[in-house]
């Protein structure tokens, strides 16, 4: 099971693989030209987003993280790790009150988590549909999912409301459908 394999990763291996994945994302034109990075706060052995967050802050990009509010997920700006606290199902969430402004003129790169993916970028999340609903409401955002190689499986069951990320990045592979954003 993918979740068990994630939990079995040593901290050093998790950091090394996450750094490689994030370095590849940071070379993407979509990252370089983004005004804002909407990023998940990693936990439970997920690909760490800390390298992306810290690089974004150094580059002067605004960083926003998701917070679950009822059946919805909204993004709030964070400017340090002190702006985050334990939230929904013990996932770190912003405690700040500044919502990320949704303007079409902004260039937003949205980083997506997942439990498992297939080569077509179909995504298995945690079952509540927060990201699918958010992405359906914001089709203009470029989306990149982060995963370890072992999270890529032969097939992920899908539903009509599921939304695939534009790019799926692992430590050794990139699965992409860049034509869909051009």
């Amino acid at each position: 099971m993918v979740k068990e394999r994630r939990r079995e990763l040593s901290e050093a291996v998790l950091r090394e693989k996450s750094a490689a994945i994030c370095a590849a994302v940071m070379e993407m034109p979509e990252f370089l030209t983004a005004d804002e990075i909407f990023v998940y706060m990693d936990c439970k052995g997920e690909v760490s987003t800390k390298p992306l967050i810290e690089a974004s802050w150094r580059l002067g990009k605004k960083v926003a993280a998701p917070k679950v509010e009822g059946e919805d997920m909204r993004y709030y700006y964070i400017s340090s790790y002190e702006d985050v606290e334990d939230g929904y199902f013990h996932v770190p969430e912003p405690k700040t009150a500044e919502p990320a402004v949704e303007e079409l003129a902004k260039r937003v790169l949205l980083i997506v988590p997942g439990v498992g993916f297939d080569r077509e970028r179909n995504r298995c999340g945690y079952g509540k549909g927060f990201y699918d609903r958010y992405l359906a409401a914001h089709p203009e955002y470029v989306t990149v999912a982060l995963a370890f190689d072992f999270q890529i499986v032969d097939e992920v069951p899908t539903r009509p409301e599921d939304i695939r990320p534009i790019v799926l990045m692992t430590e050794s592979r990139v699965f992409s459908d860049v034509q869909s954003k051009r």
Side-chain angles (χ1 to χ4, degrees):
M1 178 175 245
V2 173
K3 286 185 192 178
E4 289 170 0
R5 288 206 50 199
R6 278 194 336 207
R7 283 192 291 268
E8 292 170 359
L9 285 179
S10 72
E11 190 64 35
V13 169
L14 188 141
R15 234 184 349 265
E16 176 186 323
K17 289 178 182 283
S18 295
I21 294 166
C22 289
V25 171
M26 288 184 267
E27 291 176 3
M28 294 175 62
E30 293 85 355
F31 174 82
L32 297 171
T33 61
D35 300 313
E36 299 185 6
I37 306 298
F38 285 22
V39 63
Y40 68 88
M41 302 303 293
D42 59 272
C43 66
K44 302 172 186 158
E46 293 175 318
V47 173
S48 175
T49 56
K50 287 178 180 58
L52 284 175
I53 292 169
E54 292 165 6
S56 296
W57 285 334
R58 279 193 308 275
L59 294 168
K61 297 178 186 291
K62 291 185 96 173
V63 175
K67 181 175 186 166
V68 172
E69 297 176 342
E71 292 297 311
D72 295 318
M73 183 176 75
R74 292 193 175 82
Y75 279 82
Y76 291 86
Y77 293 119
I78 59 170
S79 56
S80 78
Y81 293 118
E82 292 178 14
D83 292 341
V84 178
E85 64 187 0
D86 199 33
Y88 183 80
F89 276 95
H90 304 291
V91 175
E93 292 185 334
K95 60 182 179 181
T96 58
E98 185 184 358
V101 180
E102 297 172 359
E103 295 175 14
L104 290 178
K106 292 187 311 188
R107 291 180 301 248
V108 173
L109 178 64
L110 195 147
I111 307 299
V112 181
V115 175
F117 300 87
D118 63 25
R119 287 165 188 79
E120 299 301 316
R121 301 173 334 279
N122 291 306
R123 174 183 165 275
C124 174
Y126 294 92
K128 297 289 185 180
F130 293 117
Y131 277 91
D132 291 316
R133 286 191 297 279
Y134 189 85
L135 294 175
H138 300 87
E140 71 278 9
Y141 294 164
V142 174
T143 53
V144 178
L146 309 183
F148 299 114
D149 282 332
F150 64 80
Q151 290 179 262
I152 308 303
V153 298
D154 289 336
E155 186 177 3
V156 170
T158 62
R159 298 178 311 220
E161 63 271 15
D162 292 344
I163 301 205
R164 296 182 302 169
I166 303 299
V167 176
L168 168 57
M169 183 85 61
T170 75
E171 66 267 29
S172 70
R173 297 182 278 179
V174 177
F175 304 92
S176 173
D177 184 17
V178 289
Q179 296 89 342
S180 67
K181 285 309 252 190
R182 291 187 179 173

